[in-house]
PDB file of all heavy atoms in Angstrom:
ATOM      1  N   LEU A 619     114.663  85.508 110.771  1.00 88.00           N
ATOM      2  CA  LEU A 619     115.766  86.043 111.565  1.00 88.00           C
ATOM      3  C   LEU A 619     117.121  85.889 110.885  1.00 88.00           C
ATOM      4  O   LEU A 619     118.154  86.127 111.501  1.00 88.00           O
ATOM      5  CB  LEU A 619     115.793  85.355 112.942  1.00 88.00           C
ATOM      6  CG  LEU A 619     114.609  85.737 113.834  1.00 88.00           C
ATOM      7  CD1 LEU A 619     114.648  84.942 115.124  1.00 88.00           C
ATOM      8  CD2 LEU A 619     114.643  87.212 114.145  1.00 88.00           C
ATOM      9  N   ILE A 620     117.132  85.487 109.626  1.00 92.00           N
ATOM     10  CA  ILE A 620     118.381  85.376 108.874  1.00 92.00           C
ATOM     11  C   ILE A 620     118.577  86.688 108.111  1.00 92.00           C
ATOM     12  O   ILE A 620     117.696  87.088 107.334  1.00 92.00           O
ATOM     13  CB  ILE A 620     118.325  84.173 107.916  1.00 92.00           C
ATOM     14  CG1 ILE A 620     118.113  82.907 108.733  1.00 92.00           C
ATOM     15  CG2 ILE A 620     119.592  84.075 107.098  1.00 92.00           C
ATOM     16  CD1 ILE A 620     117.819  81.693 107.918  1.00 92.00           C
ATOM     17  N   PRO A 621     119.690  87.383 108.325  1.00 93.00           N
ATOM     18  CA  PRO A 621     119.792  88.758 107.828  1.00 93.00           C
ATOM     19  C   PRO A 621     119.724  88.898 106.313  1.00 93.00           C
ATOM     20  O   PRO A 621     119.371  89.972 105.834  1.00 93.00           O
ATOM     21  CB  PRO A 621     121.151  89.232 108.350  1.00 93.00           C
ATOM     22  CG  PRO A 621     121.875  88.015 108.748  1.00 93.00           C
ATOM     23  CD  PRO A 621     120.861  87.003 109.120  1.00 93.00           C
ATOM     24  N   PHE A 622     120.010  87.845 105.553  1.00 94.00           N
ATOM     25  CA  PHE A 622     119.979  87.990 104.093  1.00 94.00           C
ATOM     26  C   PHE A 622     118.579  88.287 103.577  1.00 94.00           C
ATOM     27  O   PHE A 622     118.415  88.746 102.452  1.00 94.00           O
ATOM     28  CB  PHE A 622     120.500  86.708 103.423  1.00 94.00           C
ATOM     29  CG  PHE A 622     121.796  86.242 103.979  1.00 94.00           C
ATOM     30  CD1 PHE A 622     121.876  85.036 104.656  1.00 94.00           C
ATOM     31  CD2 PHE A 622     122.931  87.016 103.856  1.00 94.00           C
ATOM     32  CE1 PHE A 622     123.069  84.611 105.193  1.00 94.00           C
ATOM     33  CE2 PHE A 622     124.125  86.594 104.390  1.00 94.00           C
ATOM     34  CZ  PHE A 622     124.202  85.395 105.062  1.00 94.00           C
ATOM     35  N   PHE A 623     117.554  88.012 104.368  1.00 94.00           N
ATOM     36  CA  PHE A 623     116.180  88.160 103.885  1.00 94.00           C
ATOM     37  C   PHE A 623     115.444  89.339 104.522  1.00 94.00           C
ATOM     38  O   PHE A 623     114.252  89.500 104.281  1.00 94.00           O
ATOM     39  CB  PHE A 623     115.397  86.863 104.142  1.00 94.00           C
ATOM     40  CG  PHE A 623     116.044  85.658 103.552  1.00 94.00           C
ATOM     41  CD1 PHE A 623     116.691  84.742 104.357  1.00 94.00           C
ATOM     42  CD2 PHE A 623     116.036  85.463 102.184  1.00 94.00           C
ATOM     43  CE1 PHE A 623     117.302  83.637 103.806  1.00 94.00           C
ATOM     44  CE2 PHE A 623     116.659  84.361 101.625  1.00 94.00           C
ATOM     45  CZ  PHE A 623     117.292  83.444 102.443  1.00 94.00           C
ATOM     46  N   PHE A 624     116.125  90.140 105.340  1.00 95.00           N
ATOM     47  CA  PHE A 624     115.442  91.251 106.039  1.00 95.00           C
ATOM     48  C   PHE A 624     114.761  92.205 105.060  1.00 95.00           C
ATOM     49  O   PHE A 624     113.578  92.509 105.188  1.00 95.00           O
ATOM     50  CB  PHE A 624     116.443  92.044 106.878  1.00 95.00           C
ATOM     51  CG  PHE A 624     116.815  91.398 108.183  1.00 95.00           C
ATOM     52  CD1 PHE A 624     117.765  91.975 108.998  1.00 95.00           C
ATOM     53  CD2 PHE A 624     116.210  90.232 108.589  1.00 95.00           C
ATOM     54  CE1 PHE A 624     118.111  91.393 110.203  1.00 95.00           C
ATOM     55  CE2 PHE A 624     116.551  89.632 109.791  1.00 95.00           C
ATOM     56  CZ  PHE A 624     117.510  90.223 110.595  1.00 95.00           C
ATOM     57  N   LEU A 625     115.519  92.700 104.081  1.00 95.00           N
ATOM     58  CA  LEU A 625     114.955  93.710 103.178  1.00 95.00           C
ATOM     59  C   LEU A 625     113.860  93.116 102.306  1.00 95.00           C
ATOM     60  O   LEU A 625     112.885  93.794 101.989  1.00 95.00           O
ATOM     61  CB  LEU A 625     116.053  94.312 102.308  1.00 95.00           C
ATOM     62  CG  LEU A 625     116.937  95.331 103.010  1.00 95.00           C
ATOM     63  CD1 LEU A 625     117.845  96.006 102.006  1.00 95.00           C
ATOM     64  CD2 LEU A 625     116.114  96.375 103.720  1.00 95.00           C
ATOM     65  N   ASN A 626     114.033  91.857 101.939  1.00 95.00           N
ATOM     66  CA  ASN A 626     113.002  91.192 101.154  1.00 95.00           C
ATOM     67  C   ASN A 626     111.675  91.151 101.903  1.00 95.00           C
ATOM     68  O   ASN A 626     110.617  91.506 101.367  1.00 95.00           O
ATOM     69  CB  ASN A 626     113.492  89.770 100.867  1.00 95.00           C
ATOM     70  CG  ASN A 626     112.783  89.162  99.704  1.00 95.00           C
ATOM     71  OD1 ASN A 626     111.584  89.008  99.764  1.00 95.00           O
ATOM     72  ND2 ASN A 626     113.515  88.849  98.659  1.00 95.00           N
ATOM     73  N   GLN A 627     111.737  90.742 103.169  1.00 95.00           N
ATOM     74  CA  GLN A 627     110.515  90.670 103.973  1.00 95.00           C
ATOM     75  C   GLN A 627     109.890  92.041 104.143  1.00 95.00           C
ATOM     76  O   GLN A 627     108.672  92.215 104.023  1.00 95.00           O
ATOM     77  CB  GLN A 627     110.832  90.121 105.363  1.00 95.00           C
ATOM     78  CG  GLN A 627     111.252  88.696 105.390  1.00 95.00           C
ATOM     79  CD  GLN A 627     111.651  88.298 106.789  1.00 95.00           C
ATOM     80  OE1 GLN A 627     110.803  88.125 107.647  1.00 95.00           O
ATOM     81  NE2 GLN A 627     112.924  88.190 107.035  1.00 95.00           N
ATOM     82  N   LEU A 628     110.751  93.032 104.407  1.00 96.00           N
ATOM     83  CA  LEU A 628     110.244  94.390 104.621  1.00 96.00           C
ATOM     84  C   LEU A 628     109.571  94.918 103.354  1.00 96.00           C
ATOM     85  O   LEU A 628     108.486  95.505 103.405  1.00 96.00           O
ATOM     86  CB  LEU A 628     111.400  95.294 105.030  1.00 96.00           C
ATOM     87  CG  LEU A 628     111.037  96.597 105.688  1.00 96.00           C
ATOM     88  CD1 LEU A 628     110.357  96.332 107.017  1.00 96.00           C
ATOM     89  CD2 LEU A 628     112.265  97.447 105.897  1.00 96.00           C
ATOM     90  N   PHE A 629     110.210  94.684 102.208  1.00 96.00           N
ATOM     91  CA  PHE A 629     109.676  95.179 100.946  1.00 96.00           C
ATOM     92  C   PHE A 629     108.292  94.598 100.675  1.00 96.00           C
ATOM     93  O   PHE A 629     107.343  95.332 100.371  1.00 96.00           O
ATOM     94  CB  PHE A 629     110.637  94.835  99.799  1.00 96.00           C
ATOM     95  CG  PHE A 629     110.109  95.205  98.455  1.00 96.00           C
ATOM     96  CD1 PHE A 629     110.140  96.526  98.043  1.00 96.00           C
ATOM     97  CD2 PHE A 629     109.566  94.249  97.619  1.00 96.00           C
ATOM     98  CE1 PHE A 629     109.640  96.883  96.807  1.00 96.00           C
ATOM     99  CE2 PHE A 629     109.061  94.594  96.379  1.00 96.00           C
ATOM    100  CZ  PHE A 629     109.103  95.916  95.969  1.00 96.00           C
ATOM    101  N   TYR A 630     108.152  93.281 100.802  1.00 97.00           N
ATOM    102  CA  TYR A 630     106.849  92.679 100.496  1.00 97.00           C
ATOM    103  C   TYR A 630     105.824  92.997 101.579  1.00 97.00           C
ATOM    104  O   TYR A 630     104.621  93.078 101.288  1.00 97.00           O
ATOM    105  CB  TYR A 630     106.997  91.175 100.255  1.00 97.00           C
ATOM    106  CG  TYR A 630     107.588  90.944  98.880  1.00 97.00           C
ATOM    107  CD1 TYR A 630     108.936  90.671  98.708  1.00 97.00           C
ATOM    108  CD2 TYR A 630     106.798  91.094  97.746  1.00 97.00           C
ATOM    109  CE1 TYR A 630     109.478  90.525  97.448  1.00 97.00           C
ATOM    110  CE2 TYR A 630     107.333  90.948  96.489  1.00 97.00           C
ATOM    111  CZ  TYR A 630     108.670  90.657  96.340  1.00 97.00           C
ATOM    112  OH  TYR A 630     109.201  90.533  95.093  1.00 97.00           O
ATOM    113  N   GLY A 631     106.288  93.220 102.827  1.00 96.00           N
ATOM    114  CA  GLY A 631     105.376  93.688 103.868  1.00 96.00           C
ATOM    115  C   GLY A 631     104.802  95.053 103.533  1.00 96.00           C
ATOM    116  O   GLY A 631     103.593  95.281 103.629  1.00 96.00           O
ATOM    117  N   TYR A 632     105.675  95.962 103.102  1.00 97.00           N
ATOM    118  CA  TYR A 632     105.215  97.293 102.703  1.00 97.00           C
ATOM    119  C   TYR A 632     104.280  97.218 101.514  1.00 97.00           C
ATOM    120  O   TYR A 632     103.276  97.935 101.450  1.00 97.00           O
ATOM    121  CB  TYR A 632     106.400  98.184 102.335  1.00 97.00           C
ATOM    122  CG  TYR A 632     107.151  98.743 103.499  1.00 97.00           C
ATOM    123  CD1 TYR A 632     108.402  99.320 103.334  1.00 97.00           C
ATOM    124  CD2 TYR A 632     106.618  98.725 104.776  1.00 97.00           C
ATOM    125  CE1 TYR A 632     109.104  99.841 104.392  1.00 97.00           C
ATOM    126  CE2 TYR A 632     107.312  99.236 105.842  1.00 97.00           C
ATOM    127  CZ  TYR A 632     108.556  99.797 105.644  1.00 97.00           C
ATOM    128  OH  TYR A 632     109.242 100.321 106.689  1.00 97.00           O
ATOM    129  N   LEU A 633     104.623  96.345 100.554  1.00 97.00           N
ATOM    130  CA  LEU A 633     103.775  96.206  99.368  1.00 97.00           C
ATOM    131  C   LEU A 633     102.369  95.754  99.771  1.00 97.00           C
ATOM    132  O   LEU A 633     101.365  96.295  99.289  1.00 97.00           O
ATOM    133  CB  LEU A 633     104.413  95.196  98.418  1.00 97.00           C
ATOM    134  CG  LEU A 633     104.069  95.326  96.944  1.00 97.00           C
ATOM    135  CD1 LEU A 633     104.660  96.613  96.394  1.00 97.00           C
ATOM    136  CD2 LEU A 633     104.600  94.140  96.179  1.00 97.00           C
ATOM    137  N   ALA A 634     102.299  94.786 100.689  1.00 97.00           N
ATOM    138  CA  ALA A 634     101.003  94.282 101.137  1.00 97.00           C
ATOM    139  C   ALA A 634     100.235  95.375 101.879  1.00 97.00           C
ATOM    140  O   ALA A 634      99.032  95.559 101.668  1.00 97.00           O
ATOM    141  CB  ALA A 634     101.204  93.071 102.049  1.00 97.00           C
ATOM    142  N   LEU A 635     100.936  96.128 102.745  1.00 96.00           N
ATOM    143  CA  LEU A 635     100.275  97.209 103.485  1.00 96.00           C
ATOM    144  C   LEU A 635      99.729  98.260 102.528  1.00 96.00           C
ATOM    145  O   LEU A 635      98.608  98.756 102.695  1.00 96.00           O
ATOM    146  CB  LEU A 635     101.276  97.891 104.419  1.00 96.00           C
ATOM    147  CG  LEU A 635     101.443  97.300 105.803  1.00 96.00           C
ATOM    148  CD1 LEU A 635     102.387  98.164 106.607  1.00 96.00           C
ATOM    149  CD2 LEU A 635     100.096  97.242 106.500  1.00 96.00           C
ATOM    150  N   PHE A 636     100.529  98.621 101.510  1.00 96.00           N
ATOM    151  CA  PHE A 636     100.093  99.645 100.564  1.00 96.00           C
ATOM    152  C   PHE A 636      98.868  99.166  99.776  1.00 96.00           C
ATOM    153  O   PHE A 636      97.911  99.930  99.579  1.00 96.00           O
ATOM    154  CB  PHE A 636     101.239 100.002  99.612  1.00 96.00           C
ATOM    155  CG  PHE A 636     100.929 101.156  98.726  1.00 96.00           C
ATOM    156  CD1 PHE A 636     100.913 102.446  99.228  1.00 96.00           C
ATOM    157  CD2 PHE A 636     100.640 100.947  97.398  1.00 96.00           C
ATOM    158  CE1 PHE A 636     100.605 103.516  98.415  1.00 96.00           C
ATOM    159  CE2 PHE A 636     100.334 102.016  96.569  1.00 96.00           C
ATOM    160  CZ  PHE A 636     100.320 103.300  97.073  1.00 96.00           C
ATOM    161  N   ALA A 637      98.894  97.900  99.369  1.00 96.00           N
ATOM    162  CA  ALA A 637      97.740  97.363  98.640  1.00 96.00           C
ATOM    163  C   ALA A 637      96.489  97.408  99.513  1.00 96.00           C
ATOM    164  O   ALA A 637      95.401  97.784  99.042  1.00 96.00           O
ATOM    165  CB  ALA A 637      98.031  95.932  98.197  1.00 96.00           C
ATOM    166  N   LEU A 638      96.628  97.051 100.795  1.00 97.00           N
ATOM    167  CA  LEU A 638      95.492  97.108 101.714  1.00 97.00           C
ATOM    168  C   LEU A 638      94.986  98.532 101.881  1.00 97.00           C
ATOM    169  O   LEU A 638      93.779  98.783 101.883  1.00 97.00           O
ATOM    170  CB  LEU A 638      95.911  96.578 103.085  1.00 97.00           C
ATOM    171  CG  LEU A 638      95.615  95.129 103.377  1.00 97.00           C
ATOM    172  CD1 LEU A 638      96.099  94.787 104.779  1.00 97.00           C
ATOM    173  CD2 LEU A 638      94.120  94.894 103.292  1.00 97.00           C
ATOM    174  N   LEU A 639      95.926  99.486 102.009  1.00 96.00           N
ATOM    175  CA  LEU A 639      95.561 100.889 102.183  1.00 96.00           C
ATOM    176  C   LEU A 639      94.760 101.391 100.991  1.00 96.00           C
ATOM    177  O   LEU A 639      93.725 102.053 101.147  1.00 96.00           O
ATOM    178  CB  LEU A 639      96.837 101.717 102.366  1.00 96.00           C
ATOM    179  CG  LEU A 639      96.654 103.188 102.676  1.00 96.00           C
ATOM    180  CD1 LEU A 639      96.108 103.354 104.072  1.00 96.00           C
ATOM    181  CD2 LEU A 639      97.984 103.915 102.548  1.00 96.00           C
ATOM    182  N   VAL A 640      95.237 101.068  99.783  1.00 95.00           N
ATOM    183  CA  VAL A 640      94.533 101.489  98.570  1.00 95.00           C
ATOM    184  C   VAL A 640      93.154 100.850  98.515  1.00 95.00           C
ATOM    185  O   VAL A 640      92.156 101.522  98.239  1.00 95.00           O
ATOM    186  CB  VAL A 640      95.367 101.133  97.319  1.00 95.00           C
ATOM    187  CG1 VAL A 640      94.540 101.287  96.064  1.00 95.00           C
ATOM    188  CG2 VAL A 640      96.600 102.012  97.247  1.00 95.00           C
ATOM    189  N   LEU A 641      93.088  99.561  98.806  1.00 94.00           N
ATOM    190  CA  LEU A 641      91.806  98.851  98.742  1.00 94.00           C
ATOM    191  C   LEU A 641      90.808  99.447  99.728  1.00 94.00           C
ATOM    192  O   LEU A 641      89.649  99.710  99.384  1.00 94.00           O
ATOM    193  CB  LEU A 641      92.033  97.369  99.052  1.00 94.00           C
ATOM    194  CG  LEU A 641      90.811  96.492  98.882  1.00 94.00           C
ATOM    195  CD1 LEU A 641      90.506  96.316  97.403  1.00 94.00           C
ATOM    196  CD2 LEU A 641      91.028  95.142  99.529  1.00 94.00           C
ATOM    197  N   VAL A 642      91.259  99.697 100.949  1.00 95.00           N
ATOM    198  CA  VAL A 642      90.347 100.205 101.976  1.00 95.00           C
ATOM    199  C   VAL A 642      89.918 101.633 101.662  1.00 95.00           C
ATOM    200  O   VAL A 642      88.733 101.960 101.717  1.00 95.00           O
ATOM    201  CB  VAL A 642      91.009 100.117 103.367  1.00 95.00           C
ATOM    202  CG1 VAL A 642      90.224 100.908 104.386  1.00 95.00           C
ATOM    203  CG2 VAL A 642      91.100  98.679 103.802  1.00 95.00           C
ATOM    204  N   SER A 643      90.879 102.504 101.302  1.00 95.00           N
ATOM    205  CA  SER A 643      90.529 103.916 101.182  1.00 95.00           C
ATOM    206  C   SER A 643      89.908 104.265  99.836  1.00 95.00           C
ATOM    207  O   SER A 643      89.214 105.265  99.733  1.00 95.00           O
ATOM    208  CB  SER A 643      91.758 104.791 101.434  1.00 95.00           C
ATOM    209  OG  SER A 643      92.743 104.516 100.472  1.00 95.00           O
ATOM    210  N   TRP A 644      90.145 103.457  98.803  1.00 94.00           N
ATOM    211  CA  TRP A 644      89.572 103.773  97.494  1.00 94.00           C
ATOM    212  C   TRP A 644      88.312 102.988  97.191  1.00 94.00           C
ATOM    213  O   TRP A 644      87.506 103.408  96.375  1.00 94.00           O
ATOM    214  CB  TRP A 644      90.585 103.504  96.368  1.00 94.00           C
ATOM    215  CG  TRP A 644      91.710 104.471  96.312  1.00 94.00           C
ATOM    216  CD1 TRP A 644      92.029 105.415  97.240  1.00 94.00           C
ATOM    217  CD2 TRP A 644      92.687 104.602  95.277  1.00 94.00           C
ATOM    218  NE1 TRP A 644      93.144 106.096  96.846  1.00 94.00           N
ATOM    219  CE2 TRP A 644      93.563 105.627  95.658  1.00 94.00           C
ATOM    220  CE3 TRP A 644      92.903 103.929  94.070  1.00 94.00           C
ATOM    221  CZ2 TRP A 644      94.637 106.009  94.862  1.00 94.00           C
ATOM    222  CZ3 TRP A 644      93.959 104.305  93.291  1.00 94.00           C
ATOM    223  CH2 TRP A 644      94.819 105.341  93.675  1.00 94.00           C
ATOM    224  N   VAL A 645      88.147 101.830  97.818  1.00 94.00           N
ATOM    225  CA  VAL A 645      87.023 100.971  97.446  1.00 94.00           C
ATOM    226  C   VAL A 645      86.083 100.739  98.638  1.00 94.00           C
ATOM    227  O   VAL A 645      84.898 101.054  98.568  1.00 94.00           O
ATOM    228  CB  VAL A 645      87.526  99.602  96.907  1.00 94.00           C
ATOM    229  CG1 VAL A 645      86.348  98.719  96.549  1.00 94.00           C
ATOM    230  CG2 VAL A 645      88.423  99.805  95.704  1.00 94.00           C
ATOM    231  N   ILE A 646      86.612 100.206  99.751  1.00 95.00           N
ATOM    232  CA  ILE A 646      85.730  99.709 100.810  1.00 95.00           C
ATOM    233  C   ILE A 646      85.073 100.849 101.584  1.00 95.00           C
ATOM    234  O   ILE A 646      83.854 100.876 101.766  1.00 95.00           O
ATOM    235  CB  ILE A 646      86.516  98.770 101.745  1.00 95.00           C
ATOM    236  CG1 ILE A 646      86.960  97.549 100.947  1.00 95.00           C
ATOM    237  CG2 ILE A 646      85.669  98.354 102.931  1.00 95.00           C
ATOM    238  CD1 ILE A 646      87.868  96.624 101.696  1.00 95.00           C
ATOM    239  N   LEU A 647      85.871 101.839 102.048  1.00 95.00           N
ATOM    240  CA  LEU A 647      85.278 102.935 102.831  1.00 95.00           C
ATOM    241  C   LEU A 647      84.311 103.790 102.007  1.00 95.00           C
ATOM    242  O   LEU A 647      83.226 104.124 102.505  1.00 95.00           O
ATOM    243  CB  LEU A 647      86.373 103.789 103.471  1.00 95.00           C
ATOM    244  CG  LEU A 647      87.088 103.114 104.649  1.00 95.00           C
ATOM    245  CD1 LEU A 647      88.157 104.023 105.215  1.00 95.00           C
ATOM    246  CD2 LEU A 647      86.101 102.730 105.722  1.00 95.00           C
ATOM    247  N   PRO A 648      84.638 104.167 100.746  1.00 94.00           N
ATOM    248  CA  PRO A 648      83.638 104.896  99.962  1.00 94.00           C
ATOM    249  C   PRO A 648      82.354 104.107  99.756  1.00 94.00           C
ATOM    250  O   PRO A 648      81.255 104.673  99.780  1.00 94.00           O
ATOM    251  CB  PRO A 648      84.349 105.148  98.624  1.00 94.00           C
ATOM    252  CG  PRO A 648      85.776 105.114  98.951  1.00 94.00           C
ATOM    253  CD  PRO A 648      85.914 104.115 100.049  1.00 94.00           C
ATOM    254  N   TYR A 649      82.483 102.788  99.591  1.00 94.00           N
ATOM    255  CA  TYR A 649      81.288 101.963  99.434  1.00 94.00           C
ATOM    256  C   TYR A 649      80.430 102.017 100.702  1.00 94.00           C
ATOM    257  O   TYR A 649      79.200 102.197 100.633  1.00 94.00           O
ATOM    258  CB  TYR A 649      81.702 100.518  99.125  1.00 94.00           C
ATOM    259  CG  TYR A 649      80.566  99.542  99.224  1.00 94.00           C
ATOM    260  CD1 TYR A 649      79.613  99.474  98.215  1.00 94.00           C
ATOM    261  CD2 TYR A 649      80.430  98.704 100.328  1.00 94.00           C
ATOM    262  CE1 TYR A 649      78.554  98.588  98.315  1.00 94.00           C
ATOM    263  CE2 TYR A 649      79.381  97.823 100.438  1.00 94.00           C
ATOM    264  CZ  TYR A 649      78.443  97.766  99.426  1.00 94.00           C
ATOM    265  OH  TYR A 649      77.387  96.903  99.531  1.00 94.00           O
ATOM    266  N   LEU A 650      81.056 101.888 101.864  1.00 96.00           N
ATOM    267  CA  LEU A 650      80.292 101.933 103.123  1.00 96.00           C
ATOM    268  C   LEU A 650      79.662 103.305 103.333  1.00 96.00           C
ATOM    269  O   LEU A 650      78.521 103.413 103.803  1.00 96.00           O
ATOM    270  CB  LEU A 650      81.204 101.579 104.308  1.00 96.00           C
ATOM    271  CG  LEU A 650      81.691 100.130 104.341  1.00 96.00           C
ATOM    272  CD1 LEU A 650      82.646  99.924 105.507  1.00 96.00           C
ATOM    273  CD2 LEU A 650      80.509  99.187 104.480  1.00 96.00           C
ATOM    274  N   LEU A 651      80.392 104.364 102.986  1.00 95.00           N
ATOM    275  CA  LEU A 651      79.854 105.716 103.128  1.00 95.00           C
ATOM    276  C   LEU A 651      78.632 105.904 102.233  1.00 95.00           C
ATOM    277  O   LEU A 651      77.600 106.448 102.663  1.00 95.00           O
ATOM    278  CB  LEU A 651      80.939 106.741 102.771  1.00 95.00           C
ATOM    279  CG  LEU A 651      80.520 108.189 102.856  1.00 95.00           C
ATOM    280  CD1 LEU A 651      80.311 108.587 104.309  1.00 95.00           C
ATOM    281  CD2 LEU A 651      81.570 109.095 102.235  1.00 95.00           C
ATOM    282  N   GLN A 652      78.747 105.430 100.988  1.00 94.00           N
ATOM    283  CA  GLN A 652      77.623 105.550 100.063  1.00 94.00           C
ATOM    284  C   GLN A 652      76.409 104.793 100.601  1.00 94.00           C
ATOM    285  O   GLN A 652      75.274 105.288 100.558  1.00 94.00           O
ATOM    286  CB  GLN A 652      78.042 104.995  98.704  1.00 94.00           C
ATOM    287  CG  GLN A 652      77.013 105.254  97.625  1.00 94.00           C
ATOM    288  CD  GLN A 652      77.310 104.455  96.381  1.00 94.00           C
ATOM    289  OE1 GLN A 652      77.833 103.344  96.458  1.00 94.00           O
ATOM    290  NE2 GLN A 652      77.004 105.028  95.237  1.00 94.00           N
ATOM    291  N   LEU A 653      76.666 103.606 101.157  1.00 95.00           N
ATOM    292  CA  LEU A 653      75.581 102.803 101.713  1.00 95.00           C
ATOM    293  C   LEU A 653      74.883 103.546 102.855  1.00 95.00           C
ATOM    294  O   LEU A 653      73.649 103.612 102.923  1.00 95.00           O
ATOM    295  CB  LEU A 653      76.167 101.483 102.227  1.00 95.00           C
ATOM    296  CG  LEU A 653      75.218 100.347 102.507  1.00 95.00           C
ATOM    297  CD1 LEU A 653      74.590  99.867 101.223  1.00 95.00           C
ATOM    298  CD2 LEU A 653      75.966  99.209 103.180  1.00 95.00           C
ATOM    299  N   GLN A 654      75.677 104.147 103.751  1.00 96.00           N
ATOM    300  CA  GLN A 654      75.110 104.903 104.867  1.00 96.00           C
ATOM    301  C   GLN A 654      74.263 106.070 104.370  1.00 96.00           C
ATOM    302  O   GLN A 654      73.156 106.313 104.877  1.00 96.00           O
ATOM    303  CB  GLN A 654      76.239 105.444 105.755  1.00 96.00           C
ATOM    304  CG  GLN A 654      76.986 104.388 106.536  1.00 96.00           C
ATOM    305  CD  GLN A 654      76.137 103.752 107.604  1.00 96.00           C
ATOM    306  OE1 GLN A 654      75.347 104.422 108.246  1.00 96.00           O
ATOM    307  NE2 GLN A 654      76.264 102.456 107.765  1.00 96.00           N
TER     308      GLN A 654
END
Side-chain angles (χ1 to χ4, degrees):
Chain A
L619 291 176
I620 300 171
F622 310 115
F623 305 106
F624 282 176
L625 283 188
N626 200 299
Q627 292 175 74
L628 198 65
F629 175 77
Y630 284 100
Y632 282 166
L633 205 67
L635 272 184
F636 187 74
L638 264 180
L639 185 70
V640 168
L641 186 73
V642 167
S643 62
W644 288 10
V645 179
I646 296 173
L647 287 180
Y649 168 76
L650 292 177
L651 179 70
Q652 188 192 33
L653 196 66
Q654 290 292 322

